[in-house]
């Protein structure tokens, strides 16, 4: 029986992570679920993001996934802990759900020389405080400056991110980040949708600073996790098969998803609950 690694995002953004997982760990099977019908999550309440994420995780478990990666910062910030602590023990005690915030915060402090890091994320991720809280644990000497960029996900989901109209909102949020400190030398894209706007964002970076993208960091961390957990590694099937599911239109998904994934793909439709 196929036991793929489940990869979840509110929409397309997690495909930027999946692409790196497949590049780093091509032997495994993966099942991707994008909850496009209810995206974006970034502006929704804790309860809503938790409820939606839990439904998607349960669906991935029913597909045979022993391990699910929440390739979405908003879901990782707002739902992961409750799922790990309250739901997993009674629902599927042998399965695991991992997020993208912990692996990122474990390493991001290594990139800064000034000790000042800028975080670009959805409103939900920013208001959760997850990044400053987690970075403080690993790099107590680092100061974190957060900037919510609520219009970037809608621009990306609507394929407007490359158009000149997007420039205004990129400049706007980057100006607000730069106004928080003149010493920021490391800027993290803490939303899996933002790598698509990377070039535009790079034009507004604080002078001499570097832009950090999560995909490769998460892939490296998953490789390490599987090495440290042979009981889980042996449960993940290894045929190099990929399946893609969306809660919205498959035509839209297939037309749009290749921009994120880098290759054409074909999705299947599901209805949740
Ligand atoms: N891609 C998700 C993240 O990393 C957010 C997208 C959304 O707002 O739904 O935060």
């Amino acid at each position: 029986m196929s036991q793929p690694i489940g990869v979840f995002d509110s929409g397309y953004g997690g495909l930027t992570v999946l692409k790196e997982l497949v590049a780093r760990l091509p032997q495994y099977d993966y099942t991707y679920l994008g909850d496009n019908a209810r995206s974006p999550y970034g502006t929704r309440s804790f309860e809503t993001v938790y409820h939606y994420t839990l439904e998607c995780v349960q669906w991935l478990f029913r597909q045979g996934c022993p391990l699910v990666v929440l390739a979405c910062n908003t879901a990782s910030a707002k739902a992961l802990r409750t799922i790990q602590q309250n739901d997993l023990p009674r629902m599927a005690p042998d399965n695991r759900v991992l997020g993208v915030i912990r692996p990122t915060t474990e390493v991001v402090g290594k990139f800064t020389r000034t000790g000042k890091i800028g975080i670009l994320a959805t409103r939900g991720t920013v208001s959760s405080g997850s990044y400053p809280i987690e970075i403080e644990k690993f790099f107590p000497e680092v100061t974190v400056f957060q900037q919510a960029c609520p219009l970037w996900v809608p621009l990306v989901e609507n394929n407007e991110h490359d158009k000149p109209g997007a420039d205004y909102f990129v400049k706007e949020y980057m100006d607000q980040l730069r106004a928080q400190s003149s010493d920021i030398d490391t800027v993290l894209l803490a939303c899996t949708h933002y790598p698509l706007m990377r070039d535009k964002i790079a034009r507004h970076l604080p002078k001499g600073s570097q832009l950090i993208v999560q995909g490769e960091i998460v892939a490296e961390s998953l490789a390490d996790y599987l090495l440290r957990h042979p009981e889980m590694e042996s449960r993940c099937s290894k045929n190099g098969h990929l399946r893609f599911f969306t809660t919205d239109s498959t035509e839209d998904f297939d037309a749009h998803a290749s921009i994120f994934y880098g290759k054409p793909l074909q999705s299947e439709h599901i209805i949740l609950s």
Side-chain angles (χ1 to χ4, degrees):
M1 182 194 152
S2 169
Q3 301 206 113
I5 296 173
V7 180
F8 162 73
D9 181 52
S10 60
Y12 300 105
L15 291 167
T16 63
V17 174
L18 178 65
K19 185 175 154 191
E20 302 301 338
L21 298 183
V22 174
R24 177 69 180 79
L25 300 162
Q27 66 272 38
Y28 296 102
D29 298 332
Y30 295 91
T31 292
Y32 183 88
L33 173 58
D35 190 9
N36 299 77
R38 303 187 292 196
S39 170
Y41 281 15
T43 44
R44 297 189 191 274
S45 70
F46 266 85
E47 290 68 29
T48 304
V49 172
Y50 162 67
H51 176 72
Y52 286 177
T53 305
L54 181 61
E55 257 185 7
C56 291
V57 167
Q58 286 170 326
W59 184 85
L60 286 163
F61 283 171
R62 289 200 296 277
Q63 307 316 300
C65 301
L67 175 64
V68 171
V69 177
L70 303 184
C72 173
N73 286 272
T74 310
S76 300
K78 292 187 159 190
L80 179 61
R81 182 170 303 193
T82 313
I83 291 176
Q84 284 174 333
Q85 292 180 354
N86 297 355
D87 299 298
L88 265 188
R90 56 171 180 79
M91 202 168 76
D94 295 332
N95 288 1
R96 290 291 173 266
V97 182
L98 306 174
V100 289
I101 295 181
R102 173 74 186 246
T104 308
T105 55
E106 273 174 6
V107 300
V108 72
K110 294 181 189 159
F111 295 96
T112 173
R113 291 173 315 281
T114 60
K116 306 256 190 313
I117 296 181
I119 304 286
L120 301 168
T122 65
R123 209 171 254 159
T125 300
V126 167
S127 68
S128 75
S130 299
Y131 272 96
I133 293 166
E134 291 294 314
I135 290 174
E136 159 84 28
K137 288 185 196 156
F138 299 110
F139 303 97
E141 68 291 355
V142 165
T143 311
V144 174
F145 300 90
Q146 300 195 91
Q147 180 59 48
C149 313
L151 286 161
W152 287 2
V153 169
L155 282 169
V156 171
E157 287 278 323
N158 290 293
N159 214 1
E160 293 287 330
H161 57 282
D162 262 349
K163 313 260 167 72
D167 292 341
Y168 174 85
F169 293 105
V170 172
K171 182 174 181 314
E172 174 79 10
Y173 298 144
M174 292 305 285
D175 284 351
Q176 288 177 27
L177 177 69
R178 285 206 311 265
Q180 295 186 50
S181 165
S182 53
D183 279 345
I184 294 171
D185 70 348
T186 303
V187 176
L188 172 70
L189 300 186
C191 171
T192 54
H193 281 68
Y194 297 172
L196 267 85
M197 303 179 75
R198 186 183 186 150
D199 293 345
K200 279 194 198 288
I201 295 167
R203 279 181 228 142
H204 296 275
L205 283 177
K207 233 192 171 99
S209 64
Q210 57 190 324
L211 193 61
I212 309 293
V213 179
Q214 286 179 304
E216 284 178 32
I217 295 173
V218 174
E220 207 42 56
S221 167
L222 182 64
D224 181 58
Y225 176 88
L226 292 169
L227 267 182
R228 288 184 291 108
H229 294 88
E231 74 294 347
M232 176 54 76
E233 198 285 332
S234 62
R235 286 174 66 198
C236 299
S237 54
K238 300 167 194 71
N239 306 299
H241 290 164
L242 290 164
R243 286 181 84 182
F244 299 88
F245 294 88
T246 175
T247 54
D248 208 348
S249 143
T250 53
E251 290 88 57
D252 285 353
F253 192 90
D254 298 356
H256 207 161
S258 59
I259 315 168
F260 294 80
Y261 190 60
K263 287 186 206 165
L265 55 87
Q266 275 199 328
S267 62
E268 300 164 60
H269 180 246
I270 59 153
I271 295 173
L272 287 170
S273 61

